């Protein structure tokens, strides 16, 4: 694994990325989930029937279930692992607009989602506690004069669309965040957006599930026997060409594509009206198998991320706002190019001898983020890497995150030094071990949950790492930087809501509303159901954009 200080020149990477996309779009389909196109079956032949079947119990799937239940549609929700087993359970909980670009489709979806979150609270003020809602505001941090100039431009752009943003020079910033010290030779600043907030993703997921369970017509199938999809059967002759079911003229009812069936080890689940794939990064593989088009699997890539939770060190002033260094905003720029795969990935990060000694060659982006949880602990991040499907914690990455964070929060320096020592010890153990396959978890970071999401804790004791826990999840990165939301062409009644990367909480309510509109149009719903404002998110639009960019070797959406 390599950690670099600068982003490699994009012009030198585009031909490589383009070749990767072409190779993946033409790659053979992995034989993991089988597909059979069959005629619609009667409900009597199936163990369970619902108007809508949703595969995936993360924040997007749960919000979609709640929205569809509110529209009087019955819903069966399938989750193979458990609540918060994916990216939802590993996130920091930011509901932010400060780092987004006004005028983009991503901005519009986030703004709508923020409005829906606030509408929910206005209707039920008592939800603030269960959601762990904190009106802490955000601080976007610059560390150089050039970044500060860009921060000032961002302030103007945000204010122009009605989002109040306040520019803070170094002196004012120090007064608002007493624990903060900006690294660099000077010229750093901050941009404060008071309307930004945060919630607890895990608590929110549990709350949503309970709300769904209280509604008639809801069924949750959770666990490897009940919720693991082993086979998808699409009703009718669904082909790879044709118009998108659920768009204008898509039609509803049986002739509009009802009757899709999902098989689990124990059941057949019949989707009377619609089947929704909202399983995060796994949605790509399911969609590829269901349609027979392998290119879908490569539009969604696993992007591993680490987040640390630890007690605030003694004598350290509280962290008041949610904080994020400005370089984090690059993750929210859209591009039509493919995600670099595993070892070929690269992003900006801080130097770390511990990371440099790690055996993996994958490059890791380390960007400082920090906030205080509702319980008072520090949430420190973050990392991003294309390293395949491994979701186990890395001591080297933990050390790199703490080293980067200590540049901004000097009270974390003892923890950074201790983590670097543990990472070095883990690397030495891994290098000398010839028989143990479990040594990669490292000394002091023992994984307690595996597969799609992992959590680990330090060995305890009274040292600077006492009470440290590590969350690891696989963010569903969508090629091009935008999620896939809407119907799949040539497969009426099949919908996708995936690819939100690290923004499931911030984009979830808007995604659920948009998905509900697509489904209601598909089943012949009446009223004003505009979806055209978000046509850029349609799955086939995203797929064609990625293919075109791969063929031309060009970036930019």
């Amino acid at each position: 694994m390599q950690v670099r200080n600068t982003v490699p020149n994009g012009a030198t990477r585009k031909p490589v990325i383009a070749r990767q996309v072409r190779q993946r779009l033409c790659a053979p389909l992995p034989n993991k989930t089988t597909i059979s196109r069959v005629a619609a079956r009667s409900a009597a032949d199936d163990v369970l029937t619902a108007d809508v079947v949703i595969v995936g119990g993360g924040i997007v799937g749960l919000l979609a279930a709640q929205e569809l239940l509110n529209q009087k549609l019955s819903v069966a929700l399938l989750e193979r692992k458990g609540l918060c087993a994916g990216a939802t359970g590993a996130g920091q909980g930011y509901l932010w607009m400060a780092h987004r670009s006004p005028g983009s489709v991503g901005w519009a979806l986030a703004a709508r989602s923020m409005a829906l979150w606030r509408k929910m609270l206005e209707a039920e003020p008592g939800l603030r506690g269960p959601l762990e809602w904190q009106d802490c505001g955000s601080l976007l941090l610059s560390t150089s004069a050039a970044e500060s100039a860009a921060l000032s431009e961002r302030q103007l752009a945000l204010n122009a669309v009605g989002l109040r943003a306040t520019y803070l020079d170094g002196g004012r910033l120090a007064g608002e965040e007493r624990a903060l010290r900006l690294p660099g030779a000077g010229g750093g600043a901050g941009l404060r957006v008071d309307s930004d907030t945060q919630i607890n993703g895990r608590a929110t997921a549990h709350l949503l599930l309970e709300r769904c369970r209280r509604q008639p017509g809801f069924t949750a199938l959770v666990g490897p026997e009940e919720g693991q999809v082993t086979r998808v059967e699409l009703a009718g002759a669904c082909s790879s060409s044709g118009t998108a079911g659920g768009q204008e003229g898509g039609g509803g009812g049986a002739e509009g594509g009802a009757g899709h069936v999902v098989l689990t080890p124990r059941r057949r689940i019949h989707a009377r009206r619609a089947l929704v794939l909202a399983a995060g990064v796994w949605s790509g593989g399911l969609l590829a198998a269901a349609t027979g088009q392998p290119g879908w699997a490569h539009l969604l890539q696993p992007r591993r991320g680490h987040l640390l939770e630890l007690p605030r060190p003694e004598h350290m002033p509280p962290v008041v706002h949610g904080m994020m260094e400005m370089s984090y905003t690059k993750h929210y720029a859209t591009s039509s190019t493919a995600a670099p795969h595993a070892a070929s990935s690269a992003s900006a990060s801080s130097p770390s001898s511990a990371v440099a000694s790690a055996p993996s060659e994958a490059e890791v982006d380390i960007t400082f983020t920090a906030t205080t949880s509702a319980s008072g602990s520090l949430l420190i991040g973050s990392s991003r890497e294309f390293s395949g499907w491994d979701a186990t914690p890395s001591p080297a990455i933990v050390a790199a995150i703490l080293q980067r964070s200590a540049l901004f929060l000097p009270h974390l320096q003892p923890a950074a030094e201790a983590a670097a020592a543990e990472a070095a010890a883990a690397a030495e153990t891994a290098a000398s071990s010839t028989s143990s396959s479990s040594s990669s978890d490292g000394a002091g970071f023992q994984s307690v949950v595996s597969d799609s999401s992992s959590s680990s804790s330090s060995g305890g004791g009274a040292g600077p790492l006492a009470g440290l826990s590590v969350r690891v999840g696989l963010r569903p990165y969508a090629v091009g930087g935008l999620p896939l939301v809407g119907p799949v062409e040539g497969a009426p009644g099949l919908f996708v809501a995936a690819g939100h990367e690290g923004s499931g909480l911030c984009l979830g309510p808007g995604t659920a509303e948009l998905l509900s509109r697509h489904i209601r149009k598909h089943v012949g719903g009446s009223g004003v159901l505009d979806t055209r404002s978000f046509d850029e998110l349609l799955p086939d639009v995203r797929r064609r954009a990625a293919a075109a960019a791969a063929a031309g070797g060009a970036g930019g959406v």
Side-chain angles (χ1 to χ4, degrees):
M1 176 174 59
Q2 300 172 353
V3 179
R4 297 185 179 179
N5 297 316
T6 58
V7 180
N9 189 319
T12 62
R13 291 190 53 79
K14 286 178 182 175
V16 176
I17 293 172
R19 288 197 302 272
Q20 292 169 345
V21 174
R22 287 195 297 271
Q23 292 167 357
R24 293 172 194 169
L25 292 177
C26 299
L29 178 66
N31 187 23
K32 293 184 178 179
T33 305
T34 56
I35 169 63
S36 175
R37 298 184 178 89
V38 299
R41 299 174 182 270
S42 68
D45 294 333
D46 297 304
V47 175
L48 177 65
T49 300
D51 289 329
V52 183
V53 175
I54 299 176
V55 179
I59 194 68
V60 172
L62 288 164
L63 285 166
Q66 177 179 254
E67 179 71 19
L68 292 166
L69 288 166
N70 289 341
Q71 301 301 324
K72 309 305 180 184
L73 293 169
S74 61
V75 175
L77 181 78
L78 281 65
E79 169 54 52
R80 71 185 181 95
K81 288 285 294 180
L83 217 56
C84 303
T88 297
Q92 212 154 3
Y94 285 156
L95 301 181
W96 278 32
M97 298 296 293
H99 58 307
R100 301 183 184 277
S101 300
S104 67
V105 67
W107 170 276
L109 189 62
R112 180 56 183 162
S113 295
M114 293 290 285
L116 290 171
W117 278 122
R118 296 189 185 283
K119 182 179 179 181
M120 183 188 299
L121 283 189
E122 290 171 2
E124 300 182 64
L127 292 179
R128 281 182 171 268
L131 293 176
E132 298 187 15
W133 183 284
Q134 298 185 76
D135 289 311
C136 54
S138 66
L139 274 177
L140 201 56
L141 304 173
S142 63
T143 58
S144 67
E147 281 191 348
S148 295
L151 207 62
S152 180
E153 292 295 323
R154 179 172 290 271
Q155 178 199 18
L156 296 176
L158 295 177
N159 287 342
V161 295
L163 187 68
R164 181 175 175 80
T166 304
Y167 185 89
L168 305 174
D169 61 21
R172 295 179 65 191
L173 192 59
E176 298 217 4
E177 288 287 352
R178 294 185 296 118
L180 178 67
R181 298 292 183 271
L182 293 180
L191 186 66
R192 190 187 71 216
V193 176
D194 292 331
S195 59
D196 283 344
T197 185
Q198 72 182 57
I199 57 178
N200 183 319
R202 296 180 178 185
T204 301
H206 283 280
L207 173 69
L208 289 170
L209 180 60
E210 290 307 310
R211 289 166 67 91
C212 289
R213 281 176 167 162
R214 289 198 295 267
Q215 296 206 48
F218 178 73
T219 303
L221 302 175
V222 181
E225 292 297 314
E226 293 280 11
Q228 171 75 52
V229 176
T230 59
R231 182 183 176 105
V232 175
E233 298 178 346
L234 296 188
C238 299
S239 66
S240 60
S241 62
T243 59
Q247 298 188 60
E248 302 297 345
E255 60 277 0
H260 301 321
V261 176
V262 174
L263 280 74
T264 71
R266 287 189 179 178
R267 300 178 186 268
R268 295 178 59 85
I269 302 99
H270 180 192
R272 188 183 294 113
R273 301 293 188 91
L275 169 61
V276 177
L277 302 181
V281 69
W282 289 270
S283 301
L286 290 170
L287 184 55
T291 62
Q293 299 175 27
W296 288 114
H298 306 298
L299 283 182
L300 295 171
Q301 296 289 318
R303 201 178 199 182
R304 184 170 71 161
H306 287 61
L307 180 71
L308 315 183
E309 183 171 8
L310 68 161
R312 178 162 53 90
E314 189 177 4
H315 306 306
M316 175 180 171
V319 170
V320 179
H321 304 83
M323 296 190 289
M324 176 189 296
E325 64 175 301
M326 192 174 176
S327 61
Y328 196 96
T329 61
K330 67 181 177 290
H331 299 302
Y332 293 86
T334 58
S335 169
S336 293
T337 54
H341 187 264
S344 64
S345 65
S347 295
S349 354
S350 64
S352 166
S353 58
V355 173
S357 66
S360 172
E361 289 301 315
E363 295 170 1
V364 185
D365 179 286
I366 306 294
T367 310
F368 168 70
T369 65
T371 192
T372 301
S373 72
S375 65
S377 61
L378 291 176
L379 298 176
I380 302 294
S382 65
S383 69
R384 275 175 165 82
E385 58 176 323
F386 294 103
S387 58
W389 298 90
D390 180 20
T392 55
S394 162
I397 294 176
V398 170
I401 290 173
L402 283 170
Q403 287 170 355
R404 183 65 181 169
S405 300
L407 297 177
F408 293 82
L409 301 173
H411 287 84
L412 294 180
Q413 187 59 40
E417 293 173 356
E422 288 203 0
E428 183 177 352
T429 300
S432 61
S433 174
T434 57
S435 59
S436 174
S437 62
S438 63
S439 61
S440 61
D441 280 346
F445 299 99
Q446 297 181 346
S447 176
V448 296
V449 182
S450 60
D451 200 11
S452 60
S453 178
S454 289
S455 219
S456 72
S457 59
S458 70
L465 296 181
L468 170 67
S469 63
V470 183
R471 306 177 192 175
V472 182
L474 299 179
R475 298 181 183 93
Y477 174 83
V479 173
L482 292 172
L484 287 63
V485 184
V488 177
E489 293 181 4
L494 178 61
F495 299 82
V496 183
H500 297 75
E501 220 265 357
S503 298
L505 286 169
C506 194
L507 302 180
T511 295
E513 182 183 64
L514 177 60
L515 179 69
S516 172
R517 290 187 173 193
H518 280 300
I519 292 175
R520 287 155 62 198
K521 288 169 68 176
H522 168 67
V523 301
S526 59
V528 179
L529 298 173
D530 175 52
T531 59
R532 294 190 181 279
S533 299
F534 296 95
D535 277 357
E536 194 175 350
L537 305 181
L538 289 170
D540 287 275
V541 171
R542 305 307 317 142
R543 179 170 64 101
R544 285 191 287 268
V557 171

